[in-house]
Amino acid sequence: MNTDIPWNLLAPLIFIQLILSVVGLISLYKAESTRGPKWLWVIIILCGSLLGSVAYFVVGRKDVS
Amino acid sequence: MRQFGLFFRKEMLEMGRSYKWLWVPLVFLMLGVMQPIVTRFMPEILKSAGNMPKGMTITMEPPSGAEVMAQTLGQYNSVGLLILVLSLMTMISGERQSGVSQMIFSKPVSFVSYTAAKWMSMFSLITVSFVLGYAGAWYYTVQMIGSVDTGAALTAGGFYLLWMWFGGSLTLLASSLLNPAAGIAFVSLGMALMLTMASGWFPRYLAWSPGSLPQIYVNGLLEGQGMTEAAGALIISMLCILACFAAATYRVKLVKSKI
């Protein structure tokens, strides 16, 4: 089967995904504590693609005050 | 006015610190770009999914540009609204629970400028995210699928933006009324869903309700019609947003006077 993956079209999507994961991981690294163990959030951000990082930003982050 | 400016700057800063200015627009952009790509490569995706019976062939009409744009907006209506509600839900209740609002209101500040700043920052986050995502979807649709009528796309986008503002207003109102975040998300999403469904069931009586906005933009995009009810729905939706704002302000004031 001929599956030409159109990388030039997918590049922006991968780029956005990369930004979200990296920023999520940086914020996770800098955070003093999160809801739930940190190692779990690392796995979720890395494996959960788009929804993983969103879940971290919505649920995992504790607002610093 | 000076107070409003201060509060507005504070809200913006807070949204930046909690990374909302980063991830909400990016997620919207991703949602918008994904739909044209998935639609364009749907035959290939189905082929490589591989669990089709032998000899079965699927013939699909290549969709028009307007159809793909309508699908993208449908995507925003489900996932996009969820993302917005999740990102906005603790805007008022969070400050109430952490004691920040008690601290703010121990000074003589106006409640209106406090809630107005919340509303304005909500509007700006939604507008930036949606315009970015919609522009991305438009660009990709034109590049990969076909041209879209500019006027229809702009009108549909405008109506859709109003619908998102309405959803955000519902969320902020719920946030001023309830404490648990899950309850806020549930109430505001449920209200938006019920309004949409109700105007699908009783189109004659609810043609002007904010819930008919999604239908109006789909019609406008696909057939370039359905604009007679549009003006009514437009005005009623703006009034509803104002009513949500007034109710939330009143509620904030009420909670304050009980302390």
Side-chain angles (χ1 to χ4, degrees):
Chain A
M1 198 184 302
N2 178 25
T3 45
D4 287 328
I5 298 174
W7 288 114
N8 53 338
L9 290 172
L10 292 179
L13 289 182
I14 296 169
F15 186 60
I16 295 173
Q17 174 63 53
L18 214 65
I19 297 179
L20 279 177
S21 321
V22 167
V23 173
L25 285 177
I26 291 174
S27 138
L28 184 64
Y29 177 73
K30 285 202 294 194
E32 264 174 37
S33 63
T34 50
R35 288 197 187 87
K38 271 195 181 190
W39 58 268
L40 187 65
W41 283 115
V42 174
I43 297 175
I44 292 176
I45 291 176
L46 287 179
C47 304
S49 71
L50 183 63
L51 288 181
S53 339
V54 168
Y56 169 68
F57 283 123
V58 173
V59 185
R61 262 181 50 85
K62 273 184 190 167
D63 285 325
V64 201
S65 50
Chain B
M1 206 55 213
R2 219 184 102 247
Q3 274 185 8
F4 171 77
L6 279 174
F7 279 132
F8 186 65
R9 280 224 303 278
K10 167 197 158 282
E11 293 298 335
M12 286 295 174
L13 190 69
E14 190 137 332
M15 276 185 174
R17 282 209 184 126
S18 56
Y19 298 96
K20 271 175 204 160
W21 272 116
L22 187 86
W23 68 266
V24 180
L26 280 184
V27 169
F28 265 69
L29 184 60
M30 201 148 173
L31 281 178
V33 170
M34 210 123 79
Q35 188 65 34
I37 294 183
V38 169
T39 316
R40 170 72 180 70
F41 290 104
M42 197 41 116
E44 279 88 343
I45 293 171
L46 282 180
K47 224 186 278 169
S48 60
N51 47 6
M52 264 197 297
K54 253 202 169 130
M56 187 175 163
T57 51
I58 297 181
T59 48
M60 271 194 288
E61 287 269 305
S64 73
E67 271 168 17
V68 177
M69 290 295 271
Q71 283 167 5
T72 313
L73 286 176
Q75 197 77 2
Y76 282 141
N77 210 7
S78 46
V79 189
L81 206 60
L82 177 73
I83 297 284
L84 275 186
V85 168
L86 288 179
S87 66
L88 297 172
M89 63 191 176
T90 51
M91 257 178 100
I92 297 179
S93 70
E95 289 194 350
R96 192 170 59 231
Q97 279 168 307
S98 65
V100 172
S101 58
Q102 279 91 331
M103 226 142 73
I104 291 174
F105 290 132
S106 63
K107 307 241 162 34
V109 292
S110 106
F111 299 100
V112 177
S113 58
Y114 174 76
T115 34
K118 300 255 177 217
W119 245 263
M120 279 318 289
S121 55
M122 177 266 284
F123 281 167
S124 28
L125 180 70
I126 291 181
T127 311
V128 168
S129 309
F130 176 69
V131 168
L132 189 70
Y134 198 58
W138 196 346
Y139 180 75
Y140 265 69
T141 305
V142 170
Q143 292 293 318
M144 300 177 58
I145 287 157
S147 62
V148 184
D149 181 36
T150 311
L154 284 181
T155 333
F159 275 107
Y160 195 76
L161 190 58
L162 187 67
W163 168 243
M164 292 242 123
W165 283 359
F166 177 71
S169 304
L170 277 182
T171 314
L172 286 192
L173 175 61
S175 183
S176 75
L177 293 173
L178 303 169
N179 270 338
I184 296 163
F186 184 76
V187 166
S188 35
L189 279 176
M191 278 288 286
L193 194 68
M194 259 176 37
L195 276 173
T196 329
M197 287 203 307
S199 56
W201 288 335
F202 314 108
R204 193 184 298 173
Y205 306 107
L206 291 171
W208 285 13
S209 97
S212 64
L213 283 176
Q215 203 48 51
I216 292 177
Y217 68 69
V218 169
N219 286 346
L221 202 53
L222 293 184
E223 289 131 36
Q225 54 120 346
M227 292 298 159
T228 37
E229 299 100 11
L234 197 78
I235 294 164
I236 299 282
S237 307
M238 283 176 176
L239 287 180
C240 285
I241 291 175
L242 272 181
C244 285
F245 170 67
T249 310
Y250 181 69
R251 166 75 183 169
V252 168
K253 200 170 176 177
L254 207 67
V255 170
K256 159 70 173 72
S257 61
K258 273 188 199 147
I259 298 167

